Amino acid sequence: MAQTCSHPRPTSSREDLWARLTPELIHKISSYLHPNEVITSVKLLNRETADCLHDSFRSFVLGCKQEYKWEPYRAEQPWPGRDFVAHWGRPGPWRGLSLAQRHRLLCLAASSGHLPSLDAALAQCGCTLTSGALASAAAGGSVAACERLLGAGDEGSHAASAAAAVGHMPVLRLLLDRTGLLTRASLYATSCTAAAWAGQLPALQLLLDFAAGGAKTRVIRNAAAGAFAGGQREILVWLQQAHGYSPSLGDAVAAARGGHVAVLEQLMPPVLQPDRPPAAAA
């Protein structure tokens, strides 16, 4: 008698499995997801899920928390691009915002890397372009957003520093080519310092490739100060080995202010050794 092979029938579809979850489990699962993902995906599964999560996930999170006041505004990911354009792509919602709020929203759109969001913000924000928007785009690593802002007239005085600090090499190359950074000594030095402070060795190497003569000596000194302040041992070792840099007492102070004890102990012994009296003549 021939044997037949039977396959088990699926007990339920994915929709049925989700429908069997309790509200507590739905909330628990959603708590592990980014709020933007919950709003754009989970709440759209069905009416019951939307009702369950209605009071918990009501607003998009557009901006990351700034660790330092001087750092560029950065967009949260995942970025709700379609919803941003639908809401902020018309003049009404902008009317109740202050100038500072408009500028922040423009910077977040630039940082998102979503060009339709950036175009919507540029069209409706009603504020002049400042270097903050391009710096945010550079920190976000979007070459396309940077090109869009450069084309709109953003000069990007701090954009190279933002790109260098996060190591976005394509953006940094674009800014070196388009912003005249190498002719602006102060901004160029600041970019090198930012790369060193953040431990971005490839970015620092790229920037130093364009320095020459006495200017290179000054830039290396600035980069070393940034590396000591940031506690970036790899950068300091490279500066010593590749450029013969000798640490100074000012570097020790910068490392101490940052609390980088290991850097002080490993790289600064000649500077930190107390003065010794000269040996007595025989």
Side-chain angles (χ1 to χ4, degrees):
M1 183 175 179
Q3 294 182 342
T4 60
C5 181
S6 62
H7 298 280
R9 297 178 59 185
T11 57
S12 61
S13 66
R14 291 181 180 179
E15 290 78 8
D16 292 334
L17 290 173
W18 182 265
R20 291 162 59 186
L21 297 178
T22 64
E24 291 76 14
L25 280 175
I26 292 176
H27 274 278
K28 187 67 173 179
I29 293 171
S30 299
S31 70
Y32 290 103
L33 301 174
H34 192 283
N36 294 351
E37 193 170 10
V38 175
I39 297 173
T40 59
S41 299
V42 179
K43 292 182 73 172
L44 302 182
L45 287 174
N46 52 48
R47 183 187 298 274
E48 291 73 20
T49 301
D51 291 340
C52 175
L53 300 174
H54 179 266
D55 294 330
S56 301
F57 299 89
R58 305 185 66 176
S59 301
F60 288 109
V61 181
L62 298 182
C64 299
K65 183 179 179 180
Q66 287 180 286
E67 295 184 14
Y68 305 96
K69 291 183 179 180
W70 48 261
E71 70 178 353
Y73 291 116
R74 293 180 298 115
E76 280 277 359
Q77 296 295 338
W79 174 261
R82 183 179 63 180
D83 296 273
F84 183 94
V85 172
H87 182 74
W88 296 105
R90 48 200 176 91
W94 295 84
R95 294 193 182 109
L97 301 183
S98 66
L99 182 60
Q101 291 172 323
R102 290 167 180 247
H103 177 255
R104 177 178 179 271
L105 203 55
L106 171 62
C107 290
L108 292 177
S111 172
S112 72
H114 185 248
L115 287 184
S117 293
L118 177 56
D119 287 336
L122 286 171
Q124 304 295 341
C125 68
C127 53
T128 58
L129 281 178
T130 66
S131 60
L134 185 55
S136 290
S142 175
V143 172
C146 289
E147 290 179 332
R148 176 72 176 85
L149 289 165
L150 286 168
D154 196 325
E155 296 182 356
S157 58
H158 302 291
S161 295
V166 291
H168 288 310
M169 302 299 287
V171 171
L172 186 56
R173 291 189 181 94
L174 171 70
L175 296 172
L176 283 168
D177 182 57
R178 297 276 299 275
T179 63
L181 177 68
L182 300 177
T183 64
R184 305 157 81 178
S186 177
L187 294 178
Y188 171 62
T190 301
S191 299
C192 294
T193 302
W197 178 84
Q200 300 293 345
L201 182 56
L204 180 60
Q205 290 171 329
L206 174 64
L207 288 165
L208 289 180
D209 283 344
F210 294 94
K216 187 168 188 175
T217 301
R218 291 192 298 272
V219 169
I220 289 175
R221 186 165 58 247
N222 290 338
F228 274 104
Q232 302 296 343
R233 185 179 182 278
E234 180 185 5
I235 300 291
L236 295 167
V237 170
W238 179 77
L239 287 172
Q240 289 179 316
Q241 294 177 349
H243 297 281
Y245 182 76
S246 297
S248 66
L249 183 58
D251 293 328
V253 172
R257 284 175 176 169
H260 305 301
V261 178
V263 171
L264 286 169
E265 292 178 342
Q266 296 176 22
L267 299 175
M268 299 292 296
V271 176
L272 298 179
Q273 284 179 352
D275 294 334
R276 297 180 180 179

